[in-house]
Amino acid sequence: MRIVAGILKGRHIEPPKSFDARPTTDFAKEGLFNVLNNYFNFESVRALDLFAGSGNISFELFSRGCSDITAIEINDKYVKSIISYAARFDCNSIQVLKIDVYGFLKHCRQTYDIIFADPPYQEANYQLINELVFSNQLLRENGWLIMEHSRDTDLSKLQNLKQLRKYAGVNFSVFYIENY
């Protein structure tokens, strides 16, 4: 995996050998961030990366100027890898928490401009993520919840769906509330 743009452009992230997650492809990530560039000034964004895995999305956000990033990951090896790369890249604005995503969302009192969720496809509870984010009002005004999923997953019935972006086999469903 490589960082697509920004101050870390071209740097590679090699997850642990036992990494069995499916990281967001460079192609899909580049497409998504091209869209996000039109809506957000990354320097003022507070971001939440759920199911952070390799930290791929967190590092891309940092590289583009985001200075307030929380990465949530339950797997100890993945957490250690993210922390290691954060130190290597001098990314002191990425806070990594080893905690269950659903538990975190239930008790979270922070608000975010971008919440990115890339759960393991076979274990994903997209509806619960959506419900927790919106019922706990975790998005700031004009904030987005972005959920990555396969083309076989239909999230059209979830509340506040506004966009569906497709990049080969990777889909991003974007949720937000218009006109706060």
Side-chain angles (χ1 to χ4, degrees):
M1 289 168 280
R2 70 179 170 82
I3 298 171
V4 175
I7 61 172
L8 299 176
K9 180 180 180 178
R11 303 284 294 267
H12 287 269
I13 303 165
E14 298 296 330
K17 297 228 184 290
S18 62
F19 192 76
D20 62 356
R22 168 211 27 80
T24 304
T25 65
D26 292 346
F27 173 72
K29 183 173 59 169
E30 185 170 14
L32 174 65
F33 275 86
N34 285 341
V35 172
L36 292 174
N37 279 331
N38 293 314
Y39 290 92
F40 294 96
N41 172 3
F42 288 109
E43 293 176 4
S44 62
V45 162
R46 176 184 280 165
L48 178 61
D49 183 5
L50 302 173
F51 307 95
S54 66
N56 189 14
I57 297 298
S58 292
F59 291 119
E60 192 71 44
L61 286 161
F62 174 84
S63 185
R64 293 167 185 258
C66 187
S67 62
D68 190 348
I69 305 159
T70 302
I72 306 297
E73 176 56 56
I74 192 69
N75 184 299
D76 191 52
K77 288 180 185 175
Y78 302 171
V79 168
K80 288 177 182 174
S81 178
I82 296 169
I83 291 170
S84 173
Y85 274 99
R88 185 179 307 171
F89 296 155
D90 198 24
C91 299
N92 54 4
S93 61
I94 298 177
Q95 178 186 18
V96 185
L97 301 177
K98 183 183 181 294
I99 187 170
D100 171 71
V101 165
Y102 303 104
F104 175 84
L105 290 175
K106 285 178 186 172
H107 301 289
C108 181
R109 297 298 168 249
Q110 295 289 326
T111 57
Y112 301 91
D113 300 290
I114 296 173
I115 299 175
F116 183 85
D118 182 13
Y121 288 176
Q122 68 278 10
E123 301 170 19
N125 190 337
Y126 297 104
Q127 183 171 342
L128 182 57
I129 295 167
N130 183 281
E131 287 173 7
L132 290 170
V133 166
F134 287 102
S135 66
N136 291 336
Q137 300 175 345
L138 301 182
L139 288 175
R140 291 179 168 178
E141 185 173 352
N142 300 316
W144 284 16
L145 166 63
I146 304 160
M147 290 199 265
E148 182 174 336
H149 56 90
S150 73
R151 68 180 114 203
D152 300 326
T153 301
D154 178 10
L155 302 183
S156 64
K157 295 195 177 8
L158 297 184
Q159 67 175 330
N160 302 311
L161 176 66
K162 303 298 184 212
Q163 298 180 31
L164 174 62
R165 302 283 177 161
K166 300 177 182 182
Y167 302 96
V170 178
N171 289 353
F172 298 107
S173 288
V174 180
F175 303 83
Y176 54 87
I177 299 173
E178 293 181 282
N179 303 324
Y180 271 83

PDB file of all heavy atoms in Angstrom, residues 5-6 26 43 64 66 111 113 135 139 164 180:
ATOM      1  N   ALA A   5      -1.096  10.913  -1.841  1.00  0.00           N
ATOM      2  CA  ALA A   5      -0.843  12.350  -2.012  1.00  0.00           C
ATOM      3  C   ALA A   5      -0.400  12.966  -0.693  1.00  0.00           C
ATOM      4  O   ALA A   5      -0.480  12.349   0.367  1.00  0.00           O
ATOM      5  CB  ALA A   5      -2.102  13.044  -2.517  1.00  0.00           C
ATOM      6  N   GLY A   6       0.076  14.198  -0.784  1.00  0.00           N
ATOM      7  CA  GLY A   6       0.447  14.941   0.414  1.00  0.00           C
ATOM      8  C   GLY A   6       1.905  14.777   0.794  1.00  0.00           C
ATOM      9  O   GLY A   6       2.730  14.329  -0.006  1.00  0.00           O
ATOM     10  N   ASP A  26      -5.266   1.231  -3.463  1.00  0.00           N
ATOM     11  CA  ASP A  26      -4.766   2.568  -3.805  1.00  0.00           C
ATOM     12  C   ASP A  26      -5.701   3.249  -4.793  1.00  0.00           C
ATOM     13  O   ASP A  26      -5.979   4.443  -4.681  1.00  0.00           O
ATOM     14  CB  ASP A  26      -3.355   2.485  -4.389  1.00  0.00           C
ATOM     15  CG  ASP A  26      -2.318   2.060  -3.368  1.00  0.00           C
ATOM     16  OD1 ASP A  26      -2.612   2.075  -2.152  1.00  0.00           O
ATOM     17  OD2 ASP A  26      -1.200   1.708  -3.785  1.00  0.00           O
ATOM     18  N   GLU A  43      -6.937  20.357   6.711  1.00  0.00           N
ATOM     19  CA  GLU A  43      -6.227  20.977   7.836  1.00  0.00           C
ATOM     20  C   GLU A  43      -7.152  21.283   9.011  1.00  0.00           C
ATOM     21  O   GLU A  43      -6.692  21.439  10.136  1.00  0.00           O
ATOM     22  CB  GLU A  43      -5.502  22.229   7.367  1.00  0.00           C
ATOM     23  CG  GLU A  43      -4.365  21.900   6.420  1.00  0.00           C
ATOM     24  CD  GLU A  43      -3.673  23.121   5.860  1.00  0.00           C
ATOM     25  OE1 GLU A  43      -4.006  24.256   6.260  1.00  0.00           O
ATOM     26  OE2 GLU A  43      -2.783  22.937   5.017  1.00  0.00           O
ATOM     27  N   ARG A  64      -2.368  14.482   3.994  1.00  0.00           N
ATOM     28  CA  ARG A  64      -3.072  15.586   3.340  1.00  0.00           C
ATOM     29  C   ARG A  64      -3.338  16.763   4.276  1.00  0.00           C
ATOM     30  O   ARG A  64      -4.027  17.691   3.908  1.00  0.00           O
ATOM     31  CB  ARG A  64      -4.377  15.073   2.743  1.00  0.00           C
ATOM     32  CG  ARG A  64      -4.122  14.109   1.584  1.00  0.00           C
ATOM     33  CD  ARG A  64      -5.371  13.367   1.189  1.00  0.00           C
ATOM     34  NE  ARG A  64      -5.119  12.379   0.169  1.00  0.00           N
ATOM     35  CZ  ARG A  64      -5.409  12.538  -1.119  1.00  0.00           C
ATOM     36  NH1 ARG A  64      -5.964  13.643  -1.547  1.00  0.00           N
ATOM     37  NH2 ARG A  64      -5.136  11.579  -1.979  1.00  0.00           N
ATOM     38  N   CYS A  66      -4.458  16.598   7.726  1.00  0.00           N
ATOM     39  CA  CYS A  66      -5.343  16.389   8.879  1.00  0.00           C
ATOM     40  C   CYS A  66      -4.487  16.209  10.133  1.00  0.00           C
ATOM     41  O   CYS A  66      -3.578  15.379  10.163  1.00  0.00           O
ATOM     42  CB  CYS A  66      -6.206  15.154   8.643  1.00  0.00           C
ATOM     43  SG  CYS A  66      -7.469  14.898   9.891  1.00  0.00           S
ATOM     44  N   THR A 111     -17.118  14.616  18.396  1.00  0.00           N
ATOM     45  CA  THR A 111     -17.750  14.737  17.078  1.00  0.00           C
ATOM     46  C   THR A 111     -16.651  14.833  16.024  1.00  0.00           C
ATOM     47  O   THR A 111     -15.537  15.287  16.313  1.00  0.00           O
ATOM     48  CB  THR A 111     -18.670  15.966  16.992  1.00  0.00           C
ATOM     49  OG1 THR A 111     -17.914  17.142  17.307  1.00  0.00           O
ATOM     50  CG2 THR A 111     -19.861  15.823  17.938  1.00  0.00           C
ATOM     51  N   ASP A 113     -15.612  15.314  11.606  1.00  0.00           N
ATOM     52  CA  ASP A 113     -15.958  15.773  10.261  1.00  0.00           C
ATOM     53  C   ASP A 113     -16.040  14.594   9.299  1.00  0.00           C
ATOM     54  O   ASP A 113     -16.890  14.573   8.411  1.00  0.00           O
ATOM     55  CB  ASP A 113     -14.906  16.763   9.750  1.00  0.00           C
ATOM     56  CG  ASP A 113     -14.807  17.981  10.647  1.00  0.00           C
ATOM     57  OD1 ASP A 113     -15.757  18.780  10.650  1.00  0.00           O
ATOM     58  OD2 ASP A 113     -13.787  18.112  11.354  1.00  0.00           O
ATOM     59  N   SER A 135     -27.431   8.278  15.982  1.00  0.00           N
ATOM     60  CA  SER A 135     -28.167   8.431  17.251  1.00  0.00           C
ATOM     61  C   SER A 135     -27.316   9.127  18.310  1.00  0.00           C
ATOM     62  O   SER A 135     -27.846   9.850  19.151  1.00  0.00           O
ATOM     63  CB  SER A 135     -28.677   7.084  17.763  1.00  0.00           C
ATOM     64  OG  SER A 135     -27.596   6.248  18.129  1.00  0.00           O
ATOM     65  N   LEU A 139     -21.309  13.101  14.164  1.00  0.00           N
ATOM     66  CA  LEU A 139     -20.837  13.920  13.051  1.00  0.00           C
ATOM     67  C   LEU A 139     -21.022  15.398  13.359  1.00  0.00           C
ATOM     68  O   LEU A 139     -22.066  15.812  13.861  1.00  0.00           O
ATOM     69  CB  LEU A 139     -21.595  13.584  11.764  1.00  0.00           C
ATOM     70  CG  LEU A 139     -21.276  12.248  11.112  1.00  0.00           C
ATOM     71  CD1 LEU A 139     -22.200  12.014   9.922  1.00  0.00           C
ATOM     72  CD2 LEU A 139     -19.821  12.187  10.680  1.00  0.00           C
ATOM     73  N   LEU A 164     -23.212   6.998  -3.451  1.00  0.00           N
ATOM     74  CA  LEU A 164     -22.555   5.707  -3.587  1.00  0.00           C
ATOM     75  C   LEU A 164     -21.462   5.888  -4.620  1.00  0.00           C
ATOM     76  O   LEU A 164     -21.721   6.324  -5.742  1.00  0.00           O
ATOM     77  CB  LEU A 164     -23.528   4.614  -4.035  1.00  0.00           C
ATOM     78  CG  LEU A 164     -22.909   3.246  -4.336  1.00  0.00           C
ATOM     79  CD1 LEU A 164     -22.241   2.656  -3.093  1.00  0.00           C
ATOM     80  CD2 LEU A 164     -23.954   2.293  -4.880  1.00  0.00           C
ATOM     81  N   TYR A 180     -28.120  21.191   8.243  1.00  0.00           N
ATOM     82  CA  TYR A 180     -28.203  21.107   9.715  1.00  0.00           C
ATOM     83  C   TYR A 180     -29.070  22.196  10.267  1.00  0.00           C
ATOM     84  O   TYR A 180     -29.086  23.291   9.899  1.00  0.00           O
ATOM     85  CB  TYR A 180     -26.794  21.225  10.314  1.00  0.00           C
ATOM     86  CG  TYR A 180     -26.107  19.896  10.434  1.00  0.00           C
ATOM     87  CD1 TYR A 180     -25.457  19.332   9.352  1.00  0.00           C
ATOM     88  CD2 TYR A 180     -26.107  19.220  11.632  1.00  0.00           C
ATOM     89  CE1 TYR A 180     -24.817  18.119   9.474  1.00  0.00           C
ATOM     90  CE2 TYR A 180     -25.459  18.003  11.753  1.00  0.00           C
ATOM     91  CZ  TYR A 180     -24.833  17.464  10.676  1.00  0.00           C
ATOM     92  OH  TYR A 180     -24.190  16.252  10.806  1.00  0.00           O
TER      93      TYR A 180
END
